[in-house]
Amino acid sequence: MPRSLRATSSGAIDFGSFLTTNAATGEIRTKHDARVVVLTAESFLALADAVRDRLGDEVSDVLYRAGYSWGRHRFGEFTADAEGSGEVLYHLRNMGLEHFKGRFNDVLVCGGWGTFSIEERFEVVLVHVNNSAFHEMVSSHDRRYTDFFAGFLAGFFAELIGVKLDAVQVGGFGDAQEPCIFLLADDSIVSPVRLWLDSGKSCEEVLDLVQAGDYTNQPPKRKS
Amino acid sequence: MTDEPKHDESPPPDDQAFEEALDAAEVFSDLANEDAALGVGEGLEHGALDDDAVGAQDAEAFADEFELPAPQPAAVAADEAAALAPAAAEFGPAGPSIGQLFKPVVKHSPASRIRIESDSIGALFHRFIEQG
């Protein structure tokens, strides 16, 4: 938890120094001076549904791209936080994994997106998002909308690691208590994973195929 | 009679900024040396470099490119590591880094060379160099 946030005994967080509200001007601003509005599920769904109605299946790609841009932007704020706390002294890619997890959890917690953990398995990276806002708010409406959050993760980590990354949700489509699992890798791996998911394979089956490393019969890559 | 103002023993802001910039330069230099060494190691793995002399030249070229001190003898590096220990401690116990976690992923990427972009981590490096 960031030093600036304080948790109450019930676990709720006082956003005192992360968000500033001004009743006189009707503004909420982050500590990065970015203006914030409360985006409810209804507002996001209204926007996404309109895009889907106009573009059909391309809604997935559009939301992914939007999420990717958001992730890149959020990484910029992440580095700004590091600079503010003197951690600019350290090469961010060499940040200790446990320390990074804490810092990235701060990013998600502050935004209300849930919490996360990360692991490398079978030469891909799996990101687990627990208590995901997206799962709760939109994925039951249209599973493709989760590509927005997949794009966010790809954009954020691509900036951090310095190579192009692709991401897709591979697990956690059912029970809201189940963590959402996103797979991050090069698009030569993620593209066949999408095909496997579209053909109805489960998370476990997809991970078995990833472990086997058979990426033949690749579908067309996502447009760049 | 007014109270005599208390003497502030902390360094003036400019001096403090200078000290911080100096620290930043030292840390970055150390990391760059590590990166150069890693680069040489990876080059050897791929057969691109065939002896230590070539590796050393590459490390020096890396340092020159970024206007950084060339890799230093082990004794000097040890002294620097000791000096940097307090800063490193801020990042918790030694262990795998987030970059290492992605190493197998990067291996699959055709664009596995680290991009230096103005709006990315590269901007931080350039800021280091400017500060140093």
Side-chain angles (χ1 to χ4, degrees), chain A residues 9-210:
Chain A
S9 57
S10 67
I13 291 175
D14 172 5
F15 281 85
S17 52
F18 177 67
L19 293 177
T20 305
T21 61
N22 186 329
T25 59
E27 291 182 4
I28 305 174
R29 288 188 182 273
T30 69
K31 64 181 177 182
H32 305 291
D33 201 32
R35 189 162 180 183
V36 171
V37 294
V38 177
L39 185 67
T40 61
E42 289 76 16
S43 356
F44 181 85
L45 287 173
L47 178 65
D49 285 351
V51 174
R52 182 191 59 186
D53 292 347
R54 176 60 67 92
L55 300 177
D57 286 343
E58 285 191 47
V59 64
S60 176
D61 195 45
V62 169
L63 290 177
Y64 183 90
R65 286 163 182 255
Y68 195 93
S69 296
W70 168 42
R72 291 188 67 189
H73 177 78
R74 195 62 189 86
F75 179 75
E77 292 181 341
F78 188 81
T79 58
D81 281 346
E83 187 175 19
S85 59
E87 291 172 9
V88 71
L89 302 181
Y90 204 81
H91 188 318
L92 285 182
R93 285 198 315 268
N94 284 335
M95 183 183 279
L97 185 55
E98 291 308 313
H99 185 77
F100 173 82
K101 286 178 181 175
R103 296 297 300 263
F104 191 68
N105 261 319
D106 292 346
V107 170
L108 295 186
V109 169
C110 287
W113 296 100
T115 62
F116 104 118
S117 62
I118 189 168
E119 62 171 328
E120 184 269 324
R121 209 193 307 177
F122 315 138
E123 301 193 334
V124 300
V125 164
L126 299 177
V127 173
H128 301 250
V129 182
N130 305 294
N131 193 27
S132 165
F134 240 68
H135 187 289
E136 184 177 326
M137 293 162 63
V138 304
S139 67
S140 60
H141 184 77
D142 190 322
R143 182 166 151 172
R144 291 173 296 184
Y145 292 177
T146 60
D147 269 359
F148 183 65
F149 203 77
F152 166 78
L153 293 172
F156 186 96
F157 284 102
E159 284 301 292
L160 174 64
I161 303 304
V163 299
K164 192 173 185 304
L165 289 174
D166 203 351
V168 65
Q169 184 173 352
V170 293
F173 297 107
D175 189 339
Q177 302 303 315
E178 188 184 348
C180 294
I181 305 172
F182 292 85
L183 183 149
L184 273 76
D186 181 68
D187 65 358
S188 63
I189 293 175
V190 174
S191 292
V193 165
R194 283 202 177 87
L195 187 67
W196 296 331
L197 289 166
D198 289 345
S199 69
K201 291 202 174 349
S202 68
C203 179
E204 290 72 24
E205 289 170 326
V206 165
L207 292 179
D208 285 346
L209 287 165
V210 169

Side-chain angles (χ1 to χ4, degrees), chain B residues 6-123:
Chain B
K6 289 179 182 173
H7 178 63
D8 183 0
E9 294 185 351
S10 63
D14 284 351
D15 288 353
Q16 195 170 341
F18 175 77
E19 291 292 333
E20 287 174 2
L22 195 60
D23 287 344
E26 286 176 352
V27 173
F28 184 67
S29 169
D30 189 54
L31 291 168
N33 288 338
E34 285 178 16
D35 279 356
L38 283 171
V40 170
E42 290 182 1
L44 284 168
E45 274 182 23
H46 290 84
L49 305 171
D50 52 10
D51 59 37
D52 288 347
V54 176
Q57 285 171 9
D58 274 23
E60 285 175 12
F62 180 94
D64 285 345
E65 185 179 347
F66 289 96
E67 300 177 3
L68 295 165
Q72 296 169 326
V76 177
D79 287 346
E80 288 194 354
L84 294 171
E90 193 179 343
F91 296 88
S97 70
I98 182 67
Q100 286 171 316
L101 187 81
F102 273 88
K103 204 167 183 180
V105 174
V106 171
K107 191 176 75 176
H108 286 280
S109 172
S112 60
R113 290 181 61 82
I114 303 303
R115 291 177 292 118
I116 304 294
E117 292 183 354
S118 59
D119 59 349
S120 72
I121 187 73

